[in-house]
Amino acid sequence: MPDQSELLSPAPYDALLLLSFGGPEGPGDVVPFLENVTRGRGIPRERLKEVGRHYFLFGGVSPINAQNRELLQALRKDFAEHGLELPVYWGNRNWAPYLTDTLRELVTDGHRRVLVLATSAYASYSGCRQYRENLADALAALEAEGLPRPRVDKLRHYFNHPGFVQPMVDATLAALDELPVGLRGAAHLAFTTHSIPTAAADTSGAPADHGEGGAYVAEHLEVARLVADAVRERTGAEHPWRLVYQSRSGAPHIPWLEPDICDHLEELHGEGAPAAVMVPIGFVSDHMEVKYDLDTEATAKAAELGLPVSRASTVGADPRFAAAVRELVLERAATERFAEGLAAAAPERCALGALGPSHDLCPVGCCPARSPRPAAAGVD
């Protein structure tokens, strides 16, 4: 049986990188940030100013960076309290601190084998493969500078880890409690996530998962079922539920996942639903797409309809999520030691529901790119 020091060993890893999307932190940042996000698409600057109106409503500040700082501190606190000696860094794809700068800091500090936690819990091109492409670009930039190229591995998808699901259950119960007492028992649950093109959804996940909706829809449906079942067990009430979508940004002629949350609220109102709770299972933190698309736009639509609504919080820096990250780090470290012949057995892999734990390495054909680009932390 392994001793306690082995159970808490992050070896062979020597650092964890929190990798996120990034967001503006002032009015002057909004358009440059959007230029980073849309680079290569040829979108005029004036159009970006129009797109950025959501940010300007909040003083040009996205909540995401502040929330990542909170998560960073929660991870460091949890690691320290449990004796896990692993430094945690933070880098973004589209705004400071930029990924390349953070990786440069990592290698300058002497780290050579890095685990990555992406702030996206599900399989999809934009939620996984694109992060891996950005990692490959950053590693190539370090190599071009003559710096050491660290080995980078990505933690598996954690959508069905108890440390992600259980905070969502409690958040849903808390949101139900915000509704008038007489409406709670029959309130509908609207589980929301980011809409993506149906073509991207259909090819999300490993090739075996491809098909209508792919892994992206299947994984969200699984979390929605897990949360709805737990809410029923806790309340004794059967709450009708549906997976719906938000934050569509593509051209009108390209099919995206539907229904939109606002259309769904209209449908619920037409059916005579007494109230609804919006549960943003697709998001790790209450960033701009939650604050605007749900708290502002969808809430205004509900008020217009006269439909009482509340909104569940995301997991954010919940201590249970920080603990889940620690468990995932130790699981992956033990898996690598086993693969390298340094451990006698593979570790247990924790997951709720029927889908089981996700893969550690993205296989060939997993969430394929729109056009071929190098990607790190996978087989291809």
Side-chain angles (χ1 to χ4, degrees):
M1 179 176 292
D3 61 26
Q4 188 66 20
S5 61
E6 183 178 344
L7 291 174
L8 288 173
S9 172
Y13 298 103
D14 56 19
L16 175 69
L17 168 62
L18 172 64
L19 177 57
S20 193
F21 193 81
E25 298 198 78
D29 297 343
V30 173
V31 172
F33 162 73
L34 292 173
E35 287 175 334
N36 288 341
V37 174
T38 62
R39 183 173 287 114
R41 301 184 200 173
I43 299 177
R45 190 175 179 86
E46 290 305 312
R47 171 60 180 155
L48 293 179
K49 290 181 181 178
E50 180 184 344
V51 171
R53 69 187 187 280
H54 300 172
Y55 293 97
F56 291 122
L57 288 174
F58 294 85
V61 179
S62 168
I64 193 169
N65 278 355
Q67 290 162 2
N68 280 324
R69 292 185 184 100
E70 291 178 9
L71 178 56
L72 191 69
Q73 293 306 311
L75 292 173
R76 289 171 174 165
K77 181 175 184 290
D78 179 89
F79 287 11
E81 290 176 349
H82 290 85
L84 176 57
E85 297 181 1
L86 190 71
V88 187
Y89 293 74
W90 167 40
N92 289 324
R93 290 171 48 196
N94 298 297
W95 201 249
Y98 288 103
L99 171 58
T100 301
D101 295 337
T102 301
L103 279 178
R104 186 183 297 111
E105 180 184 1
L106 274 162
V107 298
T108 301
D109 288 347
H111 302 296
R112 296 293 181 268
R113 194 152 179 188
V114 181
L115 265 176
V116 175
L117 167 67
T119 55
S120 175
Y122 302 87
S124 71
Y125 172 77
S126 57
C128 183
R129 172 82 193 202
Q130 196 168 19
Y131 281 89
R132 294 174 50 222
E133 291 175 353
N134 294 147
L135 281 167
D137 291 343
L139 292 170
L142 295 189
E143 203 165 36
E145 296 172 12
L147 293 171
R149 182 185 178 108
R151 172 171 166 175
V152 174
D153 292 329
K154 182 176 174 290
L155 288 174
R156 65 177 172 92
H157 301 302
Y158 46 84
F159 63 93
N160 56 358
H161 194 286
F164 184 79
V165 175
Q166 290 167 355
M168 292 305 311
V169 173
D170 288 346
T172 304
L173 292 167
L176 280 167
D177 285 345
E178 293 175 8
L179 295 171
V181 174
L183 303 180
R184 295 173 190 168
H188 287 234
L189 306 180
F191 293 99
T192 75
T193 190
H194 205 301
S195 184
I196 61 175
T198 57
D202 294 346
T203 57
S204 58
D209 297 323
H210 293 180
E212 186 175 357
Y216 186 75
V217 172
E219 291 170 359
H220 281 87
L221 285 172
E222 181 77 343
V223 175
R225 289 189 193 99
L226 289 167
V227 174
D229 287 349
V231 168
R232 182 183 65 250
E233 291 172 5
R234 298 269 290 273
T235 64
E238 186 74 47
H239 294 275
W241 64 269
R242 186 173 183 182
L243 177 64
V244 300
Y245 303 92
Q246 62 175 91
S247 312
R248 174 184 171 138
S249 58
H253 68 281
I254 298 175
W256 282 52
L257 293 173
E258 296 177 336
D260 178 78
I261 177 62
C262 290
D263 294 337
H264 180 60
L265 293 177
E266 287 189 353
E267 181 181 351
L268 289 180
H269 176 65
E271 293 172 351
V277 172
M278 300 179 288
V279 188
I281 57 171
F283 305 91
V284 171
S285 66
D286 285 9
H287 55 63
M288 185 58 71
E289 287 170 321
V290 175
K291 291 292 189 184
Y292 180 80
D293 295 340
L294 295 184
D295 293 353
T296 304
E297 191 172 52
T299 300
K301 170 58 72 173
E304 173 190 319
L305 296 168
L307 178 68
V309 296
S310 60
R311 198 265 292 174
S313 62
T314 52
V315 297
D318 189 292
R320 290 168 292 181
F321 182 52
V325 174
R326 168 172 42 84
E327 292 170 10
L328 289 168
V329 165
L330 293 173
E331 172 201 293
R332 182 59 181 276
T335 298
E336 292 298 309
R337 292 197 300 272
F338 175 69
E340 295 170 9
L342 301 175
E348 293 184 8
R349 292 157 56 81
C350 186
L352 298 175
L355 294 183
S358 185
H359 47 254
D360 283 330
L361 286 174
C362 294
V364 175
C366 190
C367 303
R370 298 159 187 163
S371 56
R373 281 186 59 188
V379 176
D380 53 342

